[in-house]
Amino acid sequence: AARELRGLAHVARSAEPALLRAEGETVGGTDSEDMRSRIALWAAAATPRRRPMRFAGALDAEGGGALQHFVRVHSQPLLQNYTWELKDRLEKVGMPVALLWVNFSDANSTNVTDQAMVVFHDLCDRRRGVDPQQHVLCAVMDQSYAYYQREYGTHEPYPYPFFGLTRKLGYGEGDRYGYPFKEPINKTVATFFKSRKKATRKLNVWVSTVLAGRVPPSHESGNVPSQPAWVRGEVQQIVWKTFQKEINGSTADVLLELYDDQRKKAHIADATMRIVASTLKDYASLKVARMEVSQNYVPLVFDRKQFSKDTEYFWVPPSIASGQWTPGVPVKYVGPMPPTPGQLLRFLKKHSLSHWSLKEALETADDISTEVMGQASAEQREVDRADEEKQQMIKKMMTTLKKEKGLVDVGEMMGLKKAADAMGGADGAEGSAKTASKAKATKQKKSGGSRGKGSPGGTEVSVGPVKTATAASATGVEAAEASREKQLEERRRKLQRDRERLREIERKDKEKRKQRKAEEKRRKELKKAQQAEEQARQAKERERQRRKREEERALLPTNASFSWGQSKESVRLSVAIPNLDADTLHVSFLDDKVSVSAKDGRGKPYTLDFELREFVVPANSTFALRYSEENPLNPKPDGVTVSMQKEVAHRWDRLAQNHSSVKPLMRKDWVQDDGELDEEQEDIELPSGQNVKKVTLEVLQRMAEKTTMMVVAPRLPWCDKCHEKDREFVKAARTSKDKDHLGSISFVVIDVREEKHFARRHNYTCSDRCELLLFKQDEPGEPYIVPGRRYAEEIQIDCYKHLLPVVSVVEEKEKFDRVTSAFDTAIVGFFQKDQANDPWYPRFRSVARQLRGHALFGAIFGGREPRDFGIDRDAAPVFQLSGQAEHASEEDGSRPLILLFKPKESRHVEFREELTLEKLTHFSKVLSLPLISTYDFETRQKYQDLKVPMGMMWLDGADAERADNQHAKEILRRLAMRFSGHLVFVQLNSTRDAFLMRPMGLDPRRAPVFGIAASEQPEAARFGFDIEARSIEERAAFWADAERAFDRLESFCASFLEGTLEASHESAELSPTYRWPGPGVVQEVVWKTFRESVYRCDEDILLELYSPFRPQHRTYLTVLDLVAEAVKDVAGLKVVRMGTADNYVLPEFGLTDKEKPFTFYFLRAAPERQRRPRRFGGKSSKAEVMPEKILRFLHREMRDHSDWDLADRVAWVNREATKRIKRLRSLEKDYEKKMQDEWMQKEMEEFERYKRLGKFDNLPPMS
């Protein structure tokens, strides 16, 4: 490790551990602990309270990588200024880096800077460490690195101070995280850093969230616009900071423009978007927005090329709910560029999910395009002209600069000669004249010199004459020179005058051109003003006409658009009403209809009213205002949300009964898109076949008037529970033509999803009963409801039962004899008045309708007596409840006499109870059955349909000839005669029907036994009769004493009818010899003894409810035995347990799983009705520790009224548990191993037997 740290830190060794102890550290532990090897680091850059720093890791065999990382981290200063060298150094360390931008040159923010530095120092000191998931290094950036902030989500003007976090330094490297200061950041940072502790805590929490990976990276974003809140009708300006909320999380369809601020024709493009936004301002579900791309991050989903200057348009699909990201991918506009408002509107209409009128939008856009685009074109021309003049001025400046500085334009080097030839003018002429004069003068000088040197032929020359000639010659030359100079001067003056004249001409021409341009400009401006005035007048007229049309349309009610969705239980509507006036809102619910009416802020009425596909529950339907997302601080209502509970919980195929009428108003139809719903098979084929007609309600009503009997199968196409029964229905229809009396019956099917009111009137829904309706011509509007049958013959039997009249009117004795003998049960009423005027006959007829197929009803009118038909009125005496005699004596003058005839039993019974529909129906149902029946599963369905109370006598099935059985049969017959019309009596076999005894708490081994069931329904109450005899001799003596047994059973049945019996429940049996020894032993109870042993005792109770089939059953029995022994001397406490497999458990114990191994309860001593069980909430654990937990639970519950020592009992029970449970567990494991071996032996013997029999000979060979 020291070799690897060479150059980074000095490494030394010491045999004195005390030298490595920090200042003020005290010696703790033993000397050996103090002499342990330590590694400590003295870092010059560390804070004083951190020196020295103890290395808590371990050196590995590969050179101490953890130690190197420890030294590299802690050798860094707590705060250091950012440089490129620092970037490389920190990247080698590999830790996240916290950054603070400050502006030291701003004297006005010195206090804020100092406060931020203090907070940053505290944060870095707190976050110093070597774990990159928790700790960071720190660096400070001054204003020279301000542009780095762009990657952290800020923009010019850059805020100071500013805090960020990165995993990699350098511009454009790694993920960046900028702290989310409130906008505007330049103003809020001063308040943020004002409180040192609060700012440090917030930054620390945010750093933890970032390091945990719960914060998305930051991206470049422009400053949030300081403009007022966006209003509909304007283009919303978006930056990356607001993109997720305003675009990605908006529930509106968004038309988004991505543009560069250096684009050409900017005014035209801005005007196009303004026109689109103004056109769509009345549609709350549409939004128009733009985002500048050079200053903002553009998501990759838009597939935009980097540094592209092109303007692009996208449709962004809406979110399902506000704040959720949009589920779809943006769609790019690919039409002609630049687009017109009409092209953008057509593009938006093609892809948007909202409902809006493209035709009206195009008309509105055309109305305002002329004015807006005209103004934009004028502004664009001004900008283009200014740009052109700017370019010309730059070109002129460059030309002048090249002339003055002698610079050469590389682009003009090749055309230099052409540029020189093009030059001319007065300066060129003057230069030519000067050149010519100089050349001529030079020539004259040369010629004169030649002549002055003497002729080549002269040999002598005199001195005097030569000097004279030379002087004369010199004088002539000077005169010539002076003349030439004069001429040249004249020439120069003339050229100067010509130059001035040309300049004057040029000046005058320039002034004329300027005047012509000014005149032309004034003429164009005048024409432009006239055109603008004309356009403004036309635009004003169009606006006036448009407003007039809008006002006219505003006076007409408008159908509100809406969206809808559904779950299995409810339907949800979202109705859009822009600028809703909440005071005018009215929502009404009917069971098959919803109506919404309201007005917007301008008074324009909106309505939505349609019939629902199926029924809803108005009482459980609600509505609430829906608020706009435009201004979250001051939301305004823009619609209403409606929630309606379905009457039948299932998936609707559509919302409205008349779907075509509401389809234009439906913006979104989520019937196929709700993920909460299970798929239901739609359009199941309805029953069809020979002699089966599919009809509508109108056709059904016409057929019912003309057909003697009609069997109707109402069906729902989405319900698949009746497939098998419908097949038998079709078979019954096909074969009924060949049956006697059934040929005239019609079989029809009706789709009740289309005829929902018919289904409600007859209470039809999707169930496995698959009910059929029987319409009779003589009973119009009163169909009979019968359950669907599993066999076609059963359906035909139902038809036979309903062919006869509901009540046969008897006038002579011959018909009377036929009525009373044709069926097992006949009920005849003797009425005092005629059929039309007797007030009791409608009740009698209603009972007859309910008992169709169970009894035959007849009616005799005119006050005739039974003796007129040869019947003695005296009937068998029956049991009467207290108070029935008074009811029977009421209205004796008009009350009819009702007799029930049982021809097979040669008896008749008179109905003497209160003549109400309920009691008469019950009396008729009971007497429609035989006096005593033998119970079997073929007649069980009949008992369930009639829902009558049953007296059930179980006879000994093992020995049918027992004397007890004969005695019980005689007593049962006497009871049946006594309670005729009140109870149905049946005989059962104790061997075959023993399972029916369990709910009554009866024991099959003690047959004969007796019990009463309130009905044959599974949830009906049961009452078991306890004969209080345990031995065989006692039971035999009970049945042999017929009078005593009859009296007790009669009293038992009477108590049931009077409602004073307590219901029985399933209960096991204790051994006849069982007696509880007393404290120190667990008391075993069953349901029969539960109330006496638990609820009606004076002690506190510790109760265990256990499953006898739990693993290690004997071990857990020992657990409670140990607890009982430990608390045997605690006064007022009893330990009880009861198995749950064969015993009823009261609901107040909250035991939902009877297979649970064990559950403990504490019941404090109190009166029976005030006992409240408290459940042991400890978790299941090993059996050895359970006694201690239970003891502590007991002590906690009893400490307020009983004081006993816990510690000694816990110590004793732990010792005993270790010994006993360990021994029991070993025995149980041996027993389980023995049982497993026996089972394996039996399986092998069975396998060998099958092999000898050749069972495996035909098996295919193994591959």
Side-chain angles (χ1 to χ4, degrees):
R3 292 175 60 86
E4 296 296 333
L5 293 174
R6 182 180 292 276
L8 182 64
H10 297 287
V11 180
R13 298 178 59 186
S14 173
E16 297 292 335
L19 296 177
L20 305 182
R21 188 178 303 121
E23 183 178 353
E25 182 180 358
T26 59
V27 178
T30 63
D31 294 339
S32 59
E33 292 176 346
D34 190 47
M35 294 300 294
R36 290 180 306 177
S37 61
R38 294 184 178 181
I39 300 177
L41 171 69
W42 276 265
T47 55
R49 69 184 182 87
R50 290 180 178 269
R51 290 198 299 263
M53 288 169 286
R54 182 81 57 83
F55 173 64
L59 293 176
D60 53 26
E62 298 179 357
L67 179 60
Q68 296 179 40
H69 183 65
F70 174 79
V71 174
R72 290 181 186 276
V73 171
H74 289 291
S75 62
Q76 301 295 330
L78 196 61
L79 301 180
Q80 44 191 334
N81 293 326
Y82 176 80
T83 61
W84 281 100
E85 293 79 6
L86 177 65
K87 168 183 173 297
D88 297 336
R89 189 164 66 252
L90 294 186
E91 285 181 354
K92 294 179 180 179
V93 178
M95 294 286 292
V97 182
L99 298 171
L100 181 70
W101 281 267
V102 292
N103 187 0
F104 294 110
S105 62
D106 187 0
N108 295 326
S109 61
T110 302
N111 292 335
V112 178
T113 301
D114 294 340
Q115 293 169 356
M117 290 294 292
V118 171
V119 171
F120 191 53
H121 183 277
D122 294 345
L123 174 67
C124 296
D125 187 61
R126 182 180 299 181
R127 285 284 173 178
R128 195 59 177 266
V130 297
D131 186 359
Q133 300 299 325
Q134 299 180 7
H135 304 133
V136 297
L137 298 178
C138 298
V140 179
M141 289 190 174
D142 58 14
Q143 62 273 17
S144 60
Y145 294 100
Y147 64 94
Y148 277 46
Q149 292 188 27
R150 294 171 67 98
E151 295 183 334
Y152 294 81
T154 67
H155 214 274
E156 297 179 353
Y158 299 111
Y160 297 100
F162 182 76
F163 180 76
L165 186 69
T166 182
R167 298 188 183 275
K168 198 171 184 181
L169 289 171
Y171 190 74
E173 299 180 6
D175 292 337
R176 307 294 198 242
Y177 304 90
Y179 185 80
F181 294 100
K182 293 182 179 180
E183 298 289 341
I185 302 179
N186 281 312
K187 295 182 180 180
T188 59
V189 290
T191 306
F192 180 84
F193 288 105
K194 191 172 183 179
S195 174
R196 175 179 176 179
K197 292 184 178 179
K198 187 176 180 180
T200 304
R201 184 174 66 255
K202 289 185 177 180
L203 291 180
N204 186 55
V205 172
W206 181 78
V207 169
S208 299
T209 309
V210 173
L211 295 179
R214 297 196 299 269
V215 176
S218 302
H219 294 287
E220 181 179 1
S221 174
N223 293 324
V224 177
S226 58
Q227 62 186 13
W230 172 71
V231 295
R232 196 167 298 282
E234 297 179 357
V235 183
Q236 186 175 13
Q237 188 68 36
I238 302 297
V239 296
W240 173 246
K241 289 182 179 179
T242 61
F243 180 89
Q244 297 288 12
K245 175 183 177 183
E246 300 294 342
I247 302 299
N248 210 12
S250 175
T251 57
D253 293 275
V254 180
L255 178 63
L256 178 64
E257 178 189 35
L258 300 180
Y259 71 97
D260 190 278
D261 56 359
Q262 301 297 326
R263 62 178 173 178
K264 297 181 180 180
K265 305 295 183 181
H267 289 277
I268 302 298
D270 290 347
T272 301
M273 293 295 287
R274 290 202 309 272
I275 292 172
V276 174
S278 179
T279 301
L280 302 176
K281 66 180 181 179
D282 291 334
Y283 300 102
S285 59
L286 300 176
K287 181 188 289 188
V288 182
R290 63 158 59 99
M291 185 171 74
E292 205 278 327
V293 297
S294 65
Q295 298 181 4
N296 291 283
Y297 170 74
V298 180
L300 298 178
V301 71
F302 289 98
D303 196 22
R304 182 177 176 86
K305 296 181 180 178
Q306 192 175 12
F307 308 117
S308 174
K309 300 290 184 180
D310 297 335
T311 301
E312 297 176 341
Y313 300 89
F314 293 86
W315 165 73
V316 182
S319 300
I320 300 301
S322 179
Q324 297 182 3
W325 292 162
T326 175
V329 179
V331 180
K332 182 179 179 181
Y333 169 76
V334 293
M337 296 294 289
T340 63
Q343 291 170 342
L344 290 180
L345 288 172
R346 291 185 178 91
F347 165 71
L348 182 61
K349 179 63 178 178
K350 177 180 179 182
H351 298 284
S352 65
L353 303 178
S354 305
H355 176 76
W356 53 284
S357 175
L358 176 63
K359 182 178 180 182
E360 293 182 5
L362 292 175
E363 292 177 358
T364 305
D366 291 339
D367 292 343
I368 63 178
S369 289
T370 304
E371 180 181 356
V372 177
M373 295 302 292
Q375 181 180 359
S377 299
E379 293 174 352
Q380 188 64 48
R381 285 195 297 271
E382 291 295 331
V383 172
D384 293 344
R385 186 182 298 110
D387 291 340
E388 184 179 357
E389 291 177 358
K390 181 179 178 181
Q391 293 298 326
Q392 290 179 355
M393 181 178 66
I394 293 174
K395 184 177 180 180
K396 184 176 180 181
M397 289 174 59
M398 294 302 297
T399 303
T400 304
L401 187 63
K402 286 188 290 185
K403 286 183 179 180
E404 291 179 354
K405 301 296 183 178
L407 302 177
V408 177
D409 191 343
V410 177
E412 297 178 358
M413 289 181 62
M414 301 307 297
L416 190 61
K417 183 175 184 303
K418 183 178 180 181
D421 293 340
M423 296 177 61
D427 293 337
E430 182 179 357
S432 300
K434 290 183 179 180
T435 304
S437 299
K438 290 181 178 180
K440 185 176 180 180
T442 303
K443 187 176 180 180
Q444 291 175 352
K445 287 181 179 180
K446 289 181 178 181
S447 61
S450 301
R451 287 190 297 267
K453 290 181 181 180
S455 174
T459 55
E460 292 183 5
V461 180
S462 57
V463 176
V466 172
K467 291 182 180 179
T468 303
T470 302
S473 176
T475 303
V477 170
E478 291 176 357
E481 287 293 331
S483 176
R484 282 194 297 274
E485 289 295 332
K486 185 177 180 180
Q487 291 176 357
L488 290 174
E489 184 65 25
E490 286 292 331
R491 179 64 176 171
R492 282 195 294 272
R493 285 197 292 272
K494 183 178 180 182
L495 292 174
Q496 183 66 24
R497 288 193 297 273
D498 292 341
R499 205 161 39 242
E500 292 177 356
R501 187 171 63 252
L502 291 174
R503 288 176 180 173
E504 182 65 19
I505 292 172
E506 184 178 357
R507 184 184 63 79
K508 290 181 179 179
D509 290 342
K510 187 174 181 180
E511 289 180 355
K512 291 180 179 178
R513 288 197 301 272
K514 186 176 181 180
Q515 291 176 358
R516 286 197 299 271
K517 286 183 178 181
E519 186 67 24
E520 182 67 21
K521 184 177 180 180
R522 284 194 297 273
R523 190 163 55 251
K524 289 182 177 180
E525 289 178 351
L526 179 61
K527 184 178 179 180
K528 183 178 179 181
Q530 292 174 351
Q531 291 177 350
E533 183 178 357
E534 179 65 20
Q535 291 176 357
R537 186 185 63 80
Q538 294 177 358
K540 186 176 181 180
E541 179 63 21
R542 286 194 300 270
E543 180 67 16
R544 186 187 65 80
Q545 294 178 358
R546 187 181 65 82
R547 289 181 178 178
K548 183 178 179 181
R549 290 195 301 269
E550 287 184 353
E551 291 175 357
E552 292 175 352
R553 286 198 298 264
L555 297 177
L556 300 175
T558 302
N559 290 327
S561 58
F562 68 94
S563 303
W564 86 285
Q566 64 173 319
S567 65
K568 189 174 182 180
E569 293 80 14
S570 62
V571 176
R572 301 180 295 272
L573 272 74
S574 180
V575 184
I577 304 177
N579 300 322
L580 171 64
D581 183 0
D583 296 334
T584 63
L585 177 63
H586 177 71
V587 180
S588 64
F589 299 103
L590 298 178
D591 54 3
D592 65 336
K593 189 176 182 181
V594 62
S595 176
V596 179
S597 62
K599 293 183 180 180
D600 61 8
R602 300 175 299 175
K604 182 177 181 179
Y606 286 81
T607 61
L608 181 65
D609 189 357
F610 60 90
E611 182 183 0
L612 297 170
R613 176 63 162 167
E614 297 187 25
F615 291 110
V616 297
V617 182
N620 295 338
S621 301
T622 60
F623 69 92
L625 291 177
R626 190 189 72 184
Y627 290 90
S628 172
E629 303 175 4
E630 299 175 1
N631 187 1
L633 299 179
N634 185 21
K636 296 182 180 180
D638 67 346
V640 59
T641 58
V642 178
S643 177
M644 297 175 288
Q645 181 182 347
K646 297 177 180 178
E647 189 174 83
V648 179
H650 82 101
R651 185 189 187 103
W652 289 10
D653 62 329
R654 61 176 186 260
L655 175 64
Q657 185 71 16
N658 187 0
H659 181 69
S660 60
S661 63
V662 299
K663 184 178 180 181
L665 308 176
M666 195 179 299
R667 295 188 302 170
K668 296 175 184 175
D669 188 346
W670 290 329
V671 67
Q672 300 296 334
D673 300 330
D674 199 327
E676 301 177 9
L677 292 177
D678 298 331
E679 290 295 332
E680 290 180 353
Q681 184 180 359
E682 290 289 343
D683 297 332
I684 296 174
E685 185 178 358
L686 298 180
S688 60
Q690 184 180 354
N691 201 25
V692 177
K693 299 179 181 178
K694 184 178 179 181
V695 299
T696 62
L697 180 59
E698 184 179 355
V699 176
L700 178 67
Q701 292 172 347
R702 289 200 303 265
M703 291 179 64
E705 297 174 356
K706 302 177 181 179
T707 308
T708 304
M709 180 182 290
M710 183 168 55
V711 183
V712 180
R715 293 295 180 259
L716 292 164
W718 52 267
C719 182
D720 58 354
K721 297 181 179 180
C722 301
H723 179 70
E724 297 296 330
K725 293 182 180 180
D726 286 345
R727 187 164 54 191
E728 297 300 318
F729 172 79
V730 174
K731 181 180 178 181
R734 184 178 66 253
T735 59
S736 63
K737 287 294 184 182
D738 302 329
K739 302 290 184 180
D740 294 338
H741 309 295
L742 299 183
S744 61
I745 298 178
S746 298
F747 291 80
V748 300
V749 177
I750 182 170
D751 185 353
V752 292
R753 184 174 65 179
E754 302 296 335
E755 308 291 349
K756 60 186 177 195
H757 293 282
F758 177 84
R760 165 172 282 190
R761 185 162 58 249
H762 300 291
N763 197 26
Y764 181 81
T765 185
C766 179
S767 69
D768 53 6
R769 283 179 56 84
C770 306
E771 296 167 340
L772 302 175
L773 302 179
L774 275 65
F775 286 83
K776 293 197 65 182
Q777 189 176 16
D778 58 346
E779 300 178 58
E782 296 180 301
Y784 292 93
I785 301 176
V786 297
R789 303 299 184 181
R790 294 185 298 171
Y791 302 103
E793 292 76 9
E794 293 180 311
I795 298 176
Q796 294 173 350
I797 291 173
D798 286 334
C799 295
Y800 278 118
K801 289 180 180 180
H802 292 79
L803 282 176
L804 293 175
V806 61
V807 178
S808 300
V809 178
V810 179
E811 296 179 351
E812 66 277 350
K813 188 177 185 305
E814 183 181 358
K815 188 172 184 180
F816 179 84
D817 294 337
R818 287 202 307 270
V819 170
T820 57
S821 61
F823 215 68
D824 290 343
T825 303
I827 301 175
V828 180
F830 295 84
F831 295 90
Q832 301 297 323
K833 301 180 181 180
D834 57 11
Q835 182 176 356
N837 298 321
D838 197 297
W840 301 97
Y841 178 71
R843 301 186 193 179
F844 187 76
R845 184 176 179 276
S846 298
V847 175
R849 285 182 54 84
Q850 292 187 26
L851 296 180
R852 273 276 195 177
H854 299 289
L856 188 61
F857 283 74
I860 300 173
F861 298 96
R864 303 177 67 180
E865 297 290 336
R867 62 178 54 92
D868 297 337
F869 297 91
I871 299 298
D872 183 8
R873 181 174 175 178
D874 295 334
V878 295
F879 174 79
Q880 283 187 311
L881 294 173
S882 59
Q884 288 185 352
E886 291 80 357
H887 293 300
S889 62
E890 294 177 358
E891 301 184 12
D892 285 341
S894 61
R895 173 189 173 97
L897 172 65
I898 297 176
L899 298 178
L900 186 142
F901 294 86
K902 303 291 288 186
K904 290 185 178 180
E905 300 172 9
S906 301
R907 67 186 180 99
H908 63 274
V909 182
E910 180 182 352
F911 176 71
R912 297 180 179 179
E913 298 183 25
E914 181 184 1
L915 193 54
T916 62
L917 178 61
E918 179 183 359
K919 292 187 178 297
L920 181 58
T921 303
H922 176 77
F923 177 80
S924 303
K925 285 182 177 180
V926 172
L927 290 178
S928 66
L929 297 169
L931 186 66
I932 298 177
S933 306
T934 300
Y935 186 93
D936 55 39
F937 284 96
E938 294 180 359
T939 58
R940 186 180 185 184
Q941 182 65 41
K942 191 172 186 178
Y943 300 144
Q944 290 180 347
D945 292 341
L946 293 176
K947 298 179 182 178
V948 293
M950 300 173 60
M952 310 173 77
M953 178 71 77
W954 281 269
L955 302 178
D956 188 359
D959 185 4
E961 302 300 327
R962 277 181 57 187
D964 293 350
N965 285 352
Q966 303 303 323
H967 297 321
K969 288 181 180 180
E970 292 298 327
I971 295 173
L972 184 64
R973 175 167 293 277
R974 292 178 61 185
L975 289 173
M977 296 295 294
R978 181 77 175 103
F979 293 95
S980 181
H982 297 283
L983 293 174
V984 174
F985 290 88
V986 294
Q987 293 180 177
L988 299 95
N989 188 303
S990 63
T991 304
R992 185 189 63 229
D993 305 319
F995 71 96
L996 296 174
M997 297 185 188
R998 292 187 61 180
M1000 298 184 183
L1002 299 177
D1003 189 352
R1005 296 169 296 179
R1006 298 178 181 177
V1009 292
F1010 182 78
I1012 298 177
S1015 72
E1016 188 54 15
Q1017 302 297 324
E1019 66 278 3
R1022 263 69 173 175
F1023 305 87
F1025 177 72
D1026 187 3
I1027 63 176
E1028 300 175 357
R1030 297 294 178 262
S1031 64
I1032 298 177
E1033 293 76 11
E1034 291 176 348
R1035 294 194 294 272
F1038 173 82
W1039 293 110
D1041 190 353
E1043 291 300 325
R1044 177 172 171 269
F1046 175 78
D1047 291 341
R1048 289 191 59 187
L1049 289 174
E1050 181 188 27
S1051 177
F1052 180 76
C1053 296
S1055 299
F1056 166 75
L1057 294 175
E1058 292 172 355
T1060 59
L1061 276 185
E1062 181 180 354
S1064 300
H1065 295 285
E1066 179 183 7
S1067 176
E1069 292 287 341
L1070 290 174
S1071 173
T1073 60
Y1074 175 77
R1075 297 293 183 271
W1076 179 50
V1081 179
V1082 180
Q1083 182 179 5
E1084 302 287 345
V1085 298
V1086 295
W1087 170 246
K1088 290 182 179 180
T1089 63
F1090 183 83
R1091 289 194 180 275
E1092 290 295 332
S1093 301
V1094 177
Y1095 270 68
R1096 296 170 185 168
C1097 67
D1098 298 329
E1099 297 93 348
D1100 292 337
I1101 300 296
L1102 174 64
L1103 171 66
E1104 179 191 21
L1105 298 179
Y1106 68 93
S1107 172
F1109 307 109
R1110 58 185 170 179
Q1112 302 179 11
H1113 175 56
R1114 296 177 62 190
T1115 301
Y1116 283 103
L1117 288 177
T1118 306
V1119 169
L1120 196 62
D1121 291 340
L1122 287 171
V1123 174
E1125 292 182 38
V1127 296
K1128 65 181 179 181
D1129 57 346
V1130 177
L1133 176 64
K1134 183 166 62 172
V1135 183
V1136 181
R1137 64 170 153 236
M1138 183 176 75
T1140 58
D1142 298 323
N1143 289 289
Y1144 173 73
V1145 179
L1146 288 171
E1148 58 200 62
F1149 286 90
L1151 189 66
T1152 57
D1153 183 12
K1154 297 185 73 173
E1155 299 295 330
K1156 192 172 182 180
F1158 55 81
T1159 310
F1160 295 95
Y1161 299 89
F1162 177 79
L1163 293 90
R1164 179 171 294 187
E1168 180 178 359
R1169 295 184 179 273
Q1170 298 178 11
R1171 290 248 186 185
R1172 295 293 181 269
R1174 294 179 62 84
R1175 187 170 184 170
F1176 171 60
K1179 295 183 178 179
S1180 301
S1181 56
K1182 292 184 178 180
E1184 290 87 343
V1185 298
M1186 285 301 297
E1188 178 182 350
K1189 289 187 176 181
I1190 298 171
L1191 281 176
R1192 295 187 182 278
F1193 167 68
L1194 263 179
H1195 187 266
R1196 184 171 62 252
E1197 295 296 333
M1198 299 179 64
R1199 60 188 174 187
D1200 58 344
H1201 64 279
S1202 178
D1203 187 15
W1204 46 275
D1205 183 35
L1206 175 65
D1208 293 343
R1209 289 175 170 83
V1210 168
W1212 179 85
V1213 84
N1214 284 337
R1215 289 194 303 271
E1216 291 297 318
T1218 303
K1219 292 188 297 183
R1220 299 188 195 180
I1221 294 178
K1222 184 176 181 181
R1223 184 169 62 253
L1224 276 175
R1225 185 169 288 157
S1226 176
L1227 293 175
E1228 285 190 336
K1229 286 184 178 179
D1230 293 342
Y1231 177 75
E1232 291 177 358
K1233 181 68 168 59
K1234 178 182 178 182
M1235 296 299 294
Q1236 185 177 9
D1237 293 341
E1238 290 180 358
W1239 177 81
M1240 288 293 296
Q1241 181 65 26
K1242 290 180 180 179
E1243 290 294 321
M1244 291 300 297
E1245 292 175 358
E1246 191 71 10
F1247 176 78
E1248 292 297 334
R1249 187 173 68 85
Y1250 272 56
K1251 189 175 180 181
R1252 288 194 301 271
L1253 295 175
K1255 298 287 187 179
F1256 307 123
D1257 294 345
N1258 296 328
L1259 292 179
M1262 298 293 290
S1263 58

